Every structure is written in structure tokens, then in C-alpha cells.
Amino acid sequence: MSNQTAIVTGANSGMGLATTIELARQGYHVIMACRSEKRGQEALQEAVRQSGSSAIELMLCDLGSLESIRQFARTFRERHDRLDVLVNNAGVVMVKRKETSDGFEQSIGINHLGHFLLTLLLIEPLKVAKQGRVVNVSSGAYKAGKIHFEDPHLHKSYNPIKSYAQSKLANVLFTRALARKLSDTSVTVNCLHPGAVGTSIGVDRNTGFGTRIMAFVGKLPFFLSPEEGAGTAVYLATSPEVVGITGRYFYQQKEQQLKKHAVDDASAERFWIWSEEQVGLKPDEKL
């Protein structure tokens, strides 16, 4: 795996850190995309210590800021001409409604729109790779999700479950739509449910303090460790078993059948167009 490059978003804790460590162990040059310099540097030191690899670097990226995402993509492309793996791992769930710096409700803004823009800005480096892979960390919460086209930023009626479930359905719709649009390339796009993982997803983005909660309360009566939760993401990023497989949803390293509302291609295309408009995608950035 020498000379292969991977980006992991939300890499400073939980599954993101675990994914970073495992990819580094497997010989990838890993870029940790983190919002906080302080927490990112601490996580970088821990990743180097646990992986035994020095081929790990920190690059700042705030998925709640379109300008920060664009700056990250510009810097990456100045330093690297190829991207082998993009793991869109970062995620939030907000007890109270909050907005990003661009005025998006935070769950849809960070969990979906931020990763939507980041991925599209990195399509060309992914195409240069022998077999570029995009791995989107979704959740079984997508099953309860609905895209609220009449009020996607939930100005009128907000609750954290509604918000989070919408964003996780968004991850699935994005995965399938992007896979279709890249079907004539070597780039694959897949998503996953990590299981019921104890992570820092409920921690306040500004202060770093808050309550650790499950990414999704599944049928399991216990929390998985971040390492266990990261297992399927690492599998989709590295395994020869999924070469050429795209547009699928996985749990515990096995493909799962999606619910009917998650395979509605017309809804996915409508949502794609809405997403392009929200992030201000330029004509030459569109697929």
C-alpha cells in the first residue's frame, strides 16, 4: 500500500481516529482532516504512536464552512496529484438546532453538504488513482429519515432525531447518485452503518465538551468500540473484495439491502440538484 494516499474527515477522535490508525498501519499516507488545530495535533501524535507510522499529516478543514472546505481542497491538490481513498467520517447530532457559518442546519450542513462539496472538489485526484474509493459513513438511522424538501434546514420543526436521520438518509442518496455519475470511471462510492458506537458525536464543536452518545441505537445491547465501528469503513477503503463494487450499503463488512425510500433515484437526483445549489457549485465543478 506504499504511496497510497487517504483522507479521513473527523479524524481527531472516535471512528475517525481509529480509521486513521488502521490505514496508517496498512501503509497508507493518511491526511487527518480536522477542524481544531489543538485537538488535531493531539490526535496526530496519538495516531503516530499507535500506528508506528510517520506518514500521517494534519490538515485543517471545517466541514461547517464552505470556504474552509474549498481551501482544504486547494491545498490538497497543490500537494498531491492523486487521492486513493476518501473516508467521509465526520458527523454531528445537535440536541438544539444550530447553524453552520453558511446558514445551514448543522446536521444536514456538516454530515451531508460539507462532505458533498469536499468530495466533488476531490473527484479529479480520485480519478487519477488506480481505483479511487469514496467511503461515506452513514447510519441505520437513515431508515427513519426523510428529505424534508419543503424545509430541509428544519426552521419550522426541529428535533435531533429528525435532523440526524435526514442527514444519514442524505449520505445514502448521495452515495448512490455519485456512484451512478461516476459509473464510467474507476472511482467507487459506498456507504456503511458502523453499528452502535460510543463516539464523541454529541460533543460541542466549539468547546470540545459535551455528552458522548451512540452514533445510532441499533439492536445491539452494548456499545461497539471506535475500532470495531471503524472496521467496515477500513474494509471498504482497502479490501480487494470490493474492487469495482459501487453504490452499495454495508454493515459488518456485508452488503445490506436498502429500504425502498433510499433507492428512489428521482428523489436522489432532486436532492443532488438542491445540494449543488446550496454549496454554490460552479459549472466546471459539476459532474
Side-chain angles (χ1 to χ4, degrees):
M1 293 301 168
S2 58
N3 299 321
Q4 292 212 48
T5 300
I7 293 173
V8 180
T9 69
N12 64 283
S13 64
M15 289 185 295
L17 179 55
T19 300
T20 295
I21 292 166
E22 185 54 36
L23 290 176
R25 284 176 178 156
Q26 294 192 29
Y28 284 79
H29 177 93
V30 186
I31 294 161
M32 303 174 70
C34 302
R35 178 175 182 264
S36 164
E37 173 82 35
K38 179 179 182 294
R39 293 195 288 274
Q41 287 292 350
E42 292 169 352
L44 173 62
Q45 294 174 21
E46 184 65 15
V48 169
R49 184 185 70 79
Q50 289 197 39
S51 68
S53 171
S54 59
I56 309 174
E57 65 176 299
L58 171 67
M59 287 178 59
L60 297 184
C61 182
D62 180 358
L63 286 160
S65 163
L66 298 179
E67 179 49 42
S68 176
I69 294 164
R70 288 188 172 279
Q71 182 57 56
F72 175 92
R74 283 193 294 268
T75 302
F76 175 84
R77 295 181 67 167
E78 288 169 1
R79 298 178 183 176
H80 305 273
D81 61 358
R82 188 186 79 239
L83 176 60
D84 298 278
V85 174
L86 171 61
V87 182
N88 288 322
N89 163 83
V92 300
V93 56
M94 308 305 299
V95 176
K96 295 182 179 180
R97 187 184 183 280
K98 293 185 178 181
E99 293 186 348
T100 69
S101 59
D102 299 291
F104 305 147
E105 185 274 315
Q106 280 202 2
S107 289
I108 196 74
I110 294 165
N111 300 356
H112 168 62
L113 290 171
H115 284 125
F116 177 87
L117 177 60
L118 177 66
T119 304
L120 293 185
L121 294 179
L122 296 174
I123 288 297
E124 291 309 314
L126 282 161
K127 286 181 178 178
V128 172
K130 183 177 179 181
Q131 204 254 290
R133 300 188 186 194
V134 178
V135 179
N136 295 322
V137 178
S138 181
S139 164
Y142 90 84
K143 296 172 186 177
K146 174 186 175 183
I147 304 300
H148 300 274
F149 284 108
E150 74 288 351
D151 182 25
H153 292 297
L154 306 181
H155 290 281
K156 298 175 183 176
S157 175
Y158 179 88
N159 72 62
I161 295 175
K162 178 181 180 181
S163 161
Y164 185 69
Q166 174 179 244
S167 75
K168 295 294 100 177
L169 174 59
N171 294 153
V172 177
L173 295 177
F174 172 51
T175 295
R176 287 175 47 79
L178 182 59
R180 287 196 303 275
K181 294 174 186 294
L182 295 176
S183 60
D184 61 345
T185 75
S186 61
V187 180
T188 61
V189 193
N190 292 292
C191 60
L192 66 118
H193 169 39
V197 183
T199 73
S200 299
I201 197 169
V203 172
D204 187 273
R205 302 178 77 235
N206 295 315
T207 66
F209 295 100
T211 304
R212 287 165 57 86
I213 64 171
M214 286 193 239
F216 172 66
V217 182
K219 295 180 180 179
L220 300 175
F222 54 84
F223 288 105
L224 298 177
S225 69
E227 290 75 20
E228 290 169 324
T232 301
V234 173
Y235 170 78
L236 291 174
T238 65
S239 176
E241 294 179 4
V242 290
V243 169
I245 292 176
T246 190
R248 313 291 177 82
Y249 172 76
F250 288 77
Y251 173 52
Q252 294 185 335
Q253 302 183 15
K254 302 292 183 183
E255 185 181 345
Q256 306 292 312
Q257 185 172 352
L258 287 161
K259 297 297 183 182
K260 185 177 179 180
H261 70 298
V263 293
D264 182 342
D265 291 344
S267 179
E269 187 61 26
R270 179 185 178 190
F271 187 56
W272 180 283
I273 294 169
W274 176 83
S275 300
E276 286 184 335
E277 293 170 348
Q278 293 294 295
V279 302
L281 211 62
K282 301 170 185 175
D284 63 342
E285 295 169 343
K286 296 182 179 183
L287 294 180

